[in-house]
Amino acid sequence: DAGVIQSPRHEVTEMGQEVTLRCKPISGHNSLFWYRQTMMRGLELLIYFNNNVPIDDSGMPEDRFSAKMPNASFSTLKIQPSEPRDSAVYFCASSSPFSAEAFFGQGTRLTVV
Amino acid sequence: QKEVEQNSGPLSVPEGAIASLNCTYSDRGSQSFFWYRQYSGKSPELIMFIYSNGDKEDGRFTAQLNKASQYVSLLIRDSQPSDSATYLCAVHGSGNTGKLIFGQGTTLQVKP
């Protein structure tokens, strides 16, 4: 298995633009997590899905952030409009129904200028 | 109170010594506990998990869990410079759809 696949790996955008991050979880995994990592705040859970249903989005910082999981093999995290303080590394992770162990993608480094 | 707390460090130990990393958590219903290692610029990777009270050993790594004290630790024996990284404690919340929450991470530096 190729593991969790995220795209793009790097994104540089101007303030006010829409940004869409993509994630393909490991096949057979039924939980998907979106995290944001910064030096100041560490690895923060933004939202997680179970069987494609959002279970807890209490970590989503503002209405500018939205996430979808239209099917078991794809999820998006959208920021509209983006702001410089959104600059961070965004990780997607997935886990199977048989273990709580989460496997991480390579991350997307987002820079908003 | 943060859900998962770790000392951010850095923790500096000489090569060959034992490194001890600690973590406390707030959700008493938590069932699963994990230690991840993250090298600079890389994604977190799992190194140990523990579900029951007591010790669990895997090579040079030992995870310790005390649910009564809501405390998890990781011991690294015979520390190597290649162990220098940030170690993240993660706790899986109650129930089958519980969320996975990470601590801030402890930076470990192993000096040759």
Side-chain angles (χ1 to χ4, degrees), chain A residues 7-97:
Chain A
S7 64
R9 291 291 307 277
H10 302 274
E11 176 80 38
V12 180
T13 190
E14 291 185 348
M15 182 174 62
Q17 296 297 305
E18 177 180 297
V19 175
T20 299
L21 311 181
R22 297 173 174 79
C23 175
K24 176 179 168 54
I26 293 172
S27 177
H29 283 192
N30 69 334
S31 290
L32 184 140
F33 307 85
W34 281 102
Y35 292 92
R36 176 173 68 177
Q37 188 173 41
T38 60
M39 287 292 291
M40 289 297 295
R41 301 176 68 90
L43 196 61
E44 301 175 277
L45 178 64
L46 300 177
I47 186 171
Y48 78 99
F49 295 84
N50 187 264
N51 294 324
N52 311 336
V53 176
I55 301 300
D56 188 330
D57 65 355
S58 59
M60 296 286 262
E62 301 171 32
D63 291 346
R64 298 184 296 106
F65 285 70
S66 63
K68 294 182 179 180
M69 191 164 187
N71 57 61
S73 59
F74 184 66
S75 177
T76 59
L77 178 68
K78 185 178 294 186
I79 308 172
Q80 166 63 22
S82 58
E83 296 182 3
R85 59 193 169 118
D86 301 331
S87 298
V89 179
Y90 291 80
F91 286 105
C92 174
S94 68
S95 65
S96 83

Side-chain angles (χ1 to χ4, degrees), chain A residues 35 37 40 48 56 101-102, chain B residues 36 38 46 97 99-100 104:
Chain A
Y35 292 92
Q37 188 173 41
M40 289 297 295
Y48 78 99
D56 188 330
E101 174 188 353
Chain B
Y36 283 76
Q38 186 177 25
L46 182 74
T97 57
K99 54 189 179 182
L100 188 62
Q104 192 82 351

